[in-house]
Amino acid sequence: KNQVEQSPQSLIILEGKNCTLQCNYTVSPFSNLRWYKQDTGRGPVSLTIMTFSENTKSNGRYTATLDADTKQSSLHITASQLSDSASYICVVSSPGAGSYQLTFGKGTKLSVIP
Amino acid sequence: ETGVTQTPRHLVMGMTNKKSLKCEQHLGHNAMYWYKQSAKKPLELMFVYSLEERVENNSVPSRFSPECPNSSHLFLHLHTLQPEDSALYLCASSQETLGGYTFGSGTRLTVV
């Protein structure tokens, strides 16, 4: 069964600090992995997408890593800001008929406090 | 705005009511989706429309009825819902061959 496990479930950090969120998956076959940011009461917004051959990708203060061998990904947030408070969702997609074979993690809820 | 607009943003309805959720995308995508997001659960895929044809119905109760009149609009018709149906309902669209999803802001539904 395809699964995406995220840790920690929730995290509180001080403004300006760095943090790393983890994503482990058992999805097979693998097409790509995305990290989404979801503000409270809003829809998820894509931060990064990584394919099998990519090890790291950055989007501003967000840096995602992917180890396809161990089936692990991480999202590193540098110099956190209050606006980073949100849920971060890891999504793994499988190739196949259509683009809707996605497996979602439950998300990590990040709270950045002053 | 992401290019996917959902209305209403919030909805409170009784169990005997009939209401509809609306989704509109201006991205030229050819696939649209309904997802349900409950607290502390992963997003659950409900329906998929590709080129205006329903291609997936993920064992959703018949009290949820989708409609896709064209590639830009998607509706979710609701009737005789249960309190456990209270959730955030998200619409998404994609260009199917590329697979990148764009989500709307969601409709927060409360069934009383």
Side-chain angles (χ1 to χ4, degrees):
Chain A
K1 181 182 177 183
N2 288 340
Q3 285 191 315
V4 173
E5 299 288 340
Q6 290 188 243
S7 62
Q9 186 176 355
S10 61
L11 181 62
I12 301 174
I13 62 171
L14 291 174
E15 184 179 11
K17 297 296 185 181
N18 304 337
C19 67
T20 301
L21 314 180
Q22 299 290 342
C23 173
N24 297 340
Y25 62 93
T26 58
V27 176
S28 183
F30 175 88
S31 176
N32 60 63
L33 184 148
R34 294 174 184 265
W35 282 94
Y36 282 88
K37 177 186 179 187
Q38 185 176 19
D39 293 314
T40 302
R42 311 286 294 192
V45 175
S46 182
L47 292 175
T48 64
I49 175 173
M50 301 183 73
T51 58
F52 185 87
S53 59
E54 295 175 298
N55 299 119
T56 184
K57 183 170 282 189
S58 293
N59 177 2
R61 294 180 298 102
Y62 301 102
T63 299
T65 65
L66 175 65
D67 186 334
D69 291 332
T70 61
K71 298 188 177 180
Q72 296 179 326
S73 175
S74 66
L75 181 69
H76 186 75
I77 304 175
T78 304
S80 60
Q81 301 176 358
L82 298 178
S83 58
D84 292 330
S85 296
S87 286
Y88 292 83
I89 303 172
C90 176
V91 184
V92 181
S93 69
S94 298
S99 61
Y100 44 84
Q101 295 187 12
L102 303 182
T103 306
F104 288 79
K106 293 182 180 180
T108 292
K109 184 174 182 179
L110 174 66
S111 299
V112 180
I113 59 175
Chain B
E1 286 298 329
T2 63
V4 178
T5 304
Q6 290 187 242
T7 55
R9 291 295 311 279
H10 302 274
L11 178 62
V12 179
M13 59 186 288
M15 288 189 284
T16 58
N17 291 159
K18 289 184 179 181
K19 296 287 184 183
S20 295
L21 310 185
K22 180 182 176 183
C23 177
E24 187 173 354
Q25 60 99 359
H26 304 284
L27 302 169
H29 289 165
N30 59 11
M32 296 186 76
Y33 314 81
W34 279 117
Y35 279 87
K36 176 183 179 183
Q37 188 176 36
S38 304
K40 299 184 179 179
K41 287 186 176 181
L43 271 73
E44 301 170 56
L45 179 64
M46 299 177 72
F47 301 105
V48 181
Y49 276 82
S50 175
L51 300 173
E52 301 159 39
E53 284 192 32
R54 190 191 311 180
V55 296
E56 185 161 333
N57 176 345
N58 213 20
S59 302
V60 179
S62 59
R63 57 185 183 269
F64 294 92
S65 175
E67 179 190 0
C68 187
N70 55 62
S71 60
S72 299
H73 293 85
L74 185 65
F75 294 90
L76 188 62
H77 304 299
L78 316 170
H79 64 98
T80 60
L81 294 191
Q82 304 298 311
E84 59 265 28
D85 296 322
S86 299
L88 181 68
Y89 288 85
L90 291 164
C91 172
S93 70
S94 72
Q95 189 61 28
E96 192 160 4
T97 57
L98 297 178
Y101 274 41
T102 301
F103 285 89
S105 295
T107 294
R108 171 64 64 185
L109 173 67
T110 303
V111 181
V112 297

